[in-house]
């Protein structure tokens, strides 16, 4: 009877601990939100069900990526796929979908059906983000690097750029909170720029990167099946 009681704390102590990192990107990642944001709650829940313990830190995007490359962290929580990132990280399957939208000043009447339609316009884009392969590698696009969507939205509102880019959930969250005072002056273009899968990115230098991804993917699939995934999304009003 004593043996199982002795084994339980040993098993907990033996669980592999993962250091998670992301930038501040509400409602997905933000230490001020319940569960540190919906993406962090989904990821930490899935990793826990997969047998891992974890801790989460938040910092600017470039520092987060550099920290993963230098093995200061094990898992980047909120990564879109690019070939370049496969040089230092192993991607999970996507656990969320980001619908990337273009935002204009209300009544600007910009038409977008293909990338060439955007050539005449200055577009505020977040520094270091990978929106789509076609967009990222089109040298005819006139992009302006910004550090946050809040800055991008204000630039559109003031006429400094014609367009800004952001995930639809993020933009709507900001329009209801930090950007509430200018939200009625901005609007989405009808057609999205792209739909990007959101992945965790595990550092390649971690000896079990493929196993972590496999176990994480299985846990997310189980959460979708048993309703716990939907419950987390609902708690965050998504």
């Amino acid at each position: 009877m004593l043996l199982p009681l002795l084994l339980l704390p040993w098993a907990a102590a033996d669980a592999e601990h993962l250091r998670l990192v992301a930038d501040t990107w509400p409602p997905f990642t933000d230490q001020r939100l319940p569960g540190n944001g919906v993406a962090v709650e989904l990821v930490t829940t899935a990793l826990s069900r997969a047998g891992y313990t974890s801790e989460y830190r938040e910092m600017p995007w470039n520092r987060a990526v550099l920290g993963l490359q230098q093995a200061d962290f094990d898992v980047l929580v909120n990564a879109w796929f690019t070939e370049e990132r496969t040089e230092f990280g192993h991607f999970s399957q996507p656990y969320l979908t980001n619908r990337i939208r273009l935002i204009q000043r209300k009544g600007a009447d910009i038409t977008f059906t293909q990338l060439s339609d955007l050539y005449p316009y200055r577009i505020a884009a977040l520094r270091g983000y990978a929106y789509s392969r076609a967009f990222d590698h089109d040298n005819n696009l006139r992009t302006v690097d910004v550090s946050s969507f809040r800055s991008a939205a204000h630039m559109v509102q003031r006429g400094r750029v014609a367009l800004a880019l952001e995930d639809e959930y993020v933009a709507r969250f900001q329009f209801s909170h930090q950007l509430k005072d200018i939200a009625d002056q901005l609007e989405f273009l009808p057609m999205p720029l792209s739909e990007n899968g959101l992945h965790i990115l595990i550092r390649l230098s971690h000896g079990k990167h493929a196993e972590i991804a496999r176990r994480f993917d299985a846990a997310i699939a189980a959460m979708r099946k048993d309703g716990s995934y939907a419950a987390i999304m609902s708690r965050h009003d998504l």
Side-chain angles (χ1 to χ4, degrees):
M1 292 293 293
L2 189 58
L3 184 60
L5 296 176
L6 292 172
L7 287 176
L8 283 174
W10 173 260
D14 198 43
E16 185 166 0
H17 190 69
L18 298 174
R19 300 162 298 170
L20 314 183
V21 68
D23 62 336
T24 304
W25 193 37
F28 299 113
T29 55
D30 192 327
Q31 291 176 319
R32 298 164 295 185
L33 296 177
N36 294 314
V38 65
V40 179
E41 186 170 355
L42 285 170
V43 169
T44 55
T45 301
L47 288 173
S48 177
R49 291 178 61 156
Y52 300 99
T53 61
S54 63
E55 61 182 296
Y56 171 67
R57 288 190 58 190
E58 210 162 85
M59 59 190 59
W61 176 256
N62 288 338
R63 284 178 55 198
V65 173
L66 182 62
L68 192 78
Q69 292 171 321
Q70 295 179 340
D72 295 328
F73 304 102
D74 304 307
V75 176
L76 185 61
V77 169
N78 55 333
W80 292 336
F81 179 85
T82 68
E83 290 290 345
E84 293 81 0
R85 292 173 187 165
T86 63
E87 296 175 5
F88 59 86
H90 181 89
F91 283 94
S92 70
Q93 293 298 312
Y95 65 91
L96 267 173
T97 299
N98 296 122
R99 194 164 182 246
I100 310 305
R101 301 290 298 274
L102 289 151
I103 295 99
Q104 67 177 354
R105 191 165 183 171
K106 189 165 287 186
D109 201 28
I110 296 172
T111 299
F112 167 60
T113 59
Q114 57 189 356
L115 282 181
S116 59
D117 294 335
L118 304 178
Y119 290 170
Y121 306 107
R122 284 161 52 87
I123 306 165
L126 269 66
R127 189 178 299 112
Y129 277 55
Y131 292 100
S132 74
R133 184 169 183 81
F135 181 91
D136 298 339
H137 291 84
D138 193 327
N139 294 325
N140 293 308
L141 291 166
R142 300 166 61 197
T143 57
V144 178
D145 285 351
V146 294
S147 59
S148 69
F149 174 63
R150 193 184 311 181
S151 297
H154 279 290
M155 290 172 71
V156 173
Q157 183 260 342
R158 293 167 184 161
R160 293 178 57 195
V161 297
L163 295 163
L165 282 167
E166 188 50 277
D167 167 80
E168 184 172 347
Y169 282 138
V170 174
R172 291 190 186 280
F173 180 89
Q174 296 275 4
F175 290 156
S176 299
H177 294 82
Q178 293 92 339
L179 296 172
K180 194 172 184 178
D181 57 332
I182 65 169
D184 62 349
Q185 301 176 50
L186 304 173
E187 62 185 357
F188 293 107
L189 269 63
M191 180 176 166
L193 175 74
S194 63
E195 290 190 353
N196 294 346
L198 194 64
H199 312 248
I200 63 170
L201 183 64
I202 307 141
R203 61 180 174 91
L204 278 181
S205 58
H206 192 295
K208 298 180 181 177
H209 57 265
E211 180 183 348
I212 293 168
R214 177 181 57 78
R215 289 164 65 175
F216 172 81
D217 292 340
I220 287 289
M223 289 166 61
R224 291 184 190 276
K225 189 173 182 179
D226 66 21
S228 55
Y229 183 102
I232 291 172
M233 295 293 286
S234 179
R235 275 201 298 278
H236 291 267
D237 297 320
L238 298 176

